[in-house]
Amino acid sequence: MTVRRFLPRGQRDLFLLAIFSGFSLACLPPSAQTLPGEVTSRLDSIARSPVDAGTVAGLAVVVVRGPDTLLMKGYGTTNIDGGSRITEHSVFQIGSVTKQFTAAAILKLRDAKKIDLDADLTEYLPEYPTHGQQIPVRRLLDHTSGIVGYTELRGLSEIRRRRFPRDSVVALFGAEPLLVPPGTAMNYSNSGYFLLGLIVERISGISYEDYIEQEFFFELGMDRTGYCSNTESGRGKALGHRVSDGRLSRTSPTDHTYPYAAGSVCASAGDLILWLDALHGGAVLPEHSYQDMTTPRPLIDGFPLRYAMGFLRTEDSEGRTVLHHHGGIRGFEADTRYYPEEDLSIVVLINTFGSQSPTALSEELADVVLPPLPERNDRFEGDPTPFLGRYGGPTRGGILTVTITVTGDGLTATIDATRRTTLGPLAWIEDQTFGAGPYLLTFGGARDDGSATVLRLDHGTGHYVLERQSR
């Protein structure tokens, strides 16, 4: 972790001005060091392209490497029905990027010796039904609790419609059996972060909203960040959109009673770059807690995960290590990422859902700034026969099956869940692990005939242990 001197509250605008004007050639890859204006122009062109194409109403983008800001700009409008121009100060809903703040809040309370991450969650929420299982608090943080996600349950629509209190949501998902025993698989669960918000309130004695405001936003000078309001429509607040039949339209507002600690923070791109700088620069958590937050722990069988606490630690499409999280909520999408080896931070906020991946946009921006890595040999030279067949098991939202076949180009995986996805040809990573985009597929076990008995499917926000169903 790079230790930086973080500016105290009240110097926020001076800080933004300083990093914006502090562009230096040293931050650029060798091929671009003599042409900083050209690099900025390329970043600007990539960032504005979704607005120019009419696929999003607006977005805000920040790209910072070390002390140098390469791009900090807004594009498009806050509202197609007469909104204002988007800037780096415009406020967006950031969805699950909220989980970074929730995780940091839990770690601050742990450091104050008010929470034991290895204690059962009933130590702090004694009324919660754990169905005879021990569920350590840390299993909520990395989505390995086995608790079903409330956003996947049909009963939530009735609760939203009639605006029941939050304990009705807890009763809804608490009544459901666990998807898997805690620690045996990873199923992304907004329920876990909902419970973490309640734990913050129970231990701190104040609301979750007030806690993160006092501990993070106020302290860091993030004056365009806070808990999303159900009613406020202040100047510079972006409104949500979608694309239907090729046309942009407004979405209905989200009731932020329920996304809560899993997804109810609103922020500007300028504030989020302050957050990333402070968090990764050592101004939010001590080193040991920062390492806990950003280092994934294995499942109880020792198999590694790629999700830590409110962050994924993965490789991007070029093989570069990146700490990141996507956020998606009605009308909005977001991506924040930090490349620790290059000290590069990227924030992308979009006020249109589903038409432009903020993750893909972030990676495209990173490719401009960072030099490409050497190509790896991803050709599998072994016998693929032991891997062929169909595998299945419980996952977030239902039963998932994966069928492995072989084509002339190599192994292909067909994933059947809510929709069918075909991956292939799969690139060989190592041993019995293959990859395609964000997916890792690892085969294990062996029958008498040598065929694999287990397929582990990992896409960063899920790690599913699927058993062979047929050859």
Side-chain angles (χ1 to χ4, degrees):
M1 179 169 60
T2 303
V3 178
R4 303 189 182 115
R5 179 183 65 84
F6 193 81
L7 294 178
R9 185 180 185 275
Q11 298 183 29
R12 173 183 180 278
D13 291 337
L14 290 176
F15 172 72
L16 290 177
L17 178 62
I19 63 174
F20 185 73
S21 60
F23 188 94
S24 74
L25 298 180
C27 67
L28 301 176
S31 62
Q33 286 189 0
T34 59
L35 299 169
E38 182 177 314
V39 171
T40 299
S41 178
R42 289 170 62 194
L43 293 172
D44 178 71
S45 177
I46 291 168
R48 72 168 55 254
S49 60
V51 171
D52 290 345
T55 55
V56 305
L59 71 162
V61 175
V62 184
V63 182
V64 174
R65 190 174 187 190
D68 305 302
T69 296
L70 311 182
L71 183 69
M72 181 182 290
K73 196 171 181 180
Y75 307 84
T77 181
T78 59
N79 176 9
I80 60 170
D81 298 325
S84 58
R85 183 177 63 85
I86 285 180
T87 73
E88 69 271 22
H89 302 303
S90 300
V91 177
F92 292 71
Q93 297 180 39
I94 63 173
S96 286
V97 175
T98 297
K99 292 179 172 66
Q100 295 176 28
F101 301 105
T102 304
I106 291 292
L107 288 168
K108 282 187 73 72
L109 290 169
R110 189 275 302 272
D111 291 341
K113 302 189 183 307
K114 295 181 179 181
I115 292 179
D116 179 356
L117 298 187
D118 293 310
D120 188 78
L121 75 88
T122 57
E123 181 78 17
Y124 309 104
L125 300 175
E127 68 278 11
Y128 188 78
T130 59
H131 304 278
Q133 298 279 354
Q134 293 288 315
I135 305 179
V137 172
R138 69 171 65 253
R139 295 292 177 196
L140 305 176
L141 287 159
D142 65 6
H143 303 286
T144 61
S145 67
I147 297 174
V148 65
Y150 68 92
T151 46
E152 285 78 67
L153 297 177
R154 294 181 179 178
L156 181 62
S157 59
E158 178 65 14
I159 289 175
R160 281 173 169 163
R161 186 176 67 83
R162 298 178 62 186
R163 296 199 69 178
F164 284 96
R166 285 179 178 150
D167 57 8
S168 298
V169 179
V170 176
L172 177 69
F173 64 77
E176 297 290 322
L178 299 184
L179 291 170
V180 295
T184 62
M186 177 194 168
N187 289 276
Y188 191 90
S189 174
N190 286 310
S191 299
Y193 274 76
F194 198 101
L195 293 173
L196 289 169
L198 296 177
I199 291 174
V200 169
E201 295 189 349
R202 191 71 58 92
I203 298 304
S204 69
I206 61 177
S207 71
Y208 168 81
E209 297 93 316
D210 287 345
Y211 186 87
I212 58 175
E213 170 70 29
Q214 294 174 18
E215 294 295 325
F216 303 133
F217 310 148
F218 181 84
E219 288 296 320
L220 300 178
M222 299 170 62
D223 54 16
R224 303 289 290 174
T225 300
Y227 195 90
C228 299
S229 169
N230 286 330
T231 57
E232 183 182 348
S233 57
R235 181 177 176 81
K237 181 177 180 180
L239 301 182
H241 298 79
R242 64 188 178 111
V243 174
S244 179
D245 297 326
R247 299 186 64 182
L248 286 164
S249 62
R250 285 277 313 282
T251 57
S252 57
T254 294
D255 185 341
H256 281 282
T257 305
Y258 308 115
Y260 186 43
S264 279
V265 167
C266 284
S268 70
D271 273 7
L272 287 177
I273 209 68
L274 289 172
W275 165 254
L276 293 178
D277 184 78
L279 179 66
H280 299 299
V284 176
L285 297 170
E287 176 68 17
H288 71 279
S289 287
Y290 174 80
Q291 292 300 327
D292 283 346
M293 186 174 180
T294 58
T295 305
R297 291 169 62 93
L299 297 171
I300 58 176
D301 64 5
F303 205 91
L305 293 177
R306 294 189 290 168
Y307 196 102
M309 299 178 179
F311 274 108
L312 292 92
R313 189 183 194 98
T314 67
E315 292 184 349
D316 69 5
S317 59
E318 289 291 326
R320 300 174 292 232
T321 299
V322 57
L323 295 163
H324 63 108
H325 210 292
H326 169 264
I329 197 166
R330 183 183 297 157
F332 295 87
E333 292 204 65
D335 184 75
T336 64
R337 57 185 49 222
Y338 177 67
Y339 291 83
E341 295 169 3
E342 296 85 4
D343 197 17
L344 173 68
S345 298
I346 298 176
V347 175
V348 174
L349 305 181
I350 303 175
N351 68 339
T352 308
F353 185 84
S355 58
Q356 168 63 56
S357 165
T359 301
L361 195 61
S362 291
E363 288 205 9
E364 194 173 356
L365 294 166
D367 288 343
V368 173
V369 180
L370 302 178
L373 297 179
E375 291 188 9
R376 297 180 294 191
N377 178 23
D378 59 6
R379 183 176 179 83
F380 181 63
E381 303 291 351
D383 178 12
T385 305
F387 310 136
L388 306 182
R390 187 174 66 185
Y391 304 79
T395 63
R396 178 191 184 196
I399 299 297
L400 179 145
T401 62
V402 178
T403 303
I404 305 296
T405 56
V406 65
T407 66
D409 295 324
L411 289 175
T412 297
T414 302
I415 303 174
D416 283 297
T418 54
R419 59 187 176 89
R420 174 173 289 195
T421 302
T422 300
L423 308 175
L426 302 179
W428 178 65
I429 306 297
E430 61 181 0
D431 299 328
Q432 298 186 103
T433 298
F434 299 79
Y439 291 87
L440 290 179
L441 297 89
T442 302
F443 298 91
R447 289 178 170 177
D448 292 340
D449 63 1
S451 59
T453 60
V454 172
L455 169 60
R456 293 174 178 267
L457 178 69
D458 185 324
H459 59 83
T461 54
H463 183 104
Y464 312 132
V465 183
L466 311 176
E467 297 183 355
R468 178 183 285 280
Q469 297 180 335
S470 66
R471 182 59 186 239

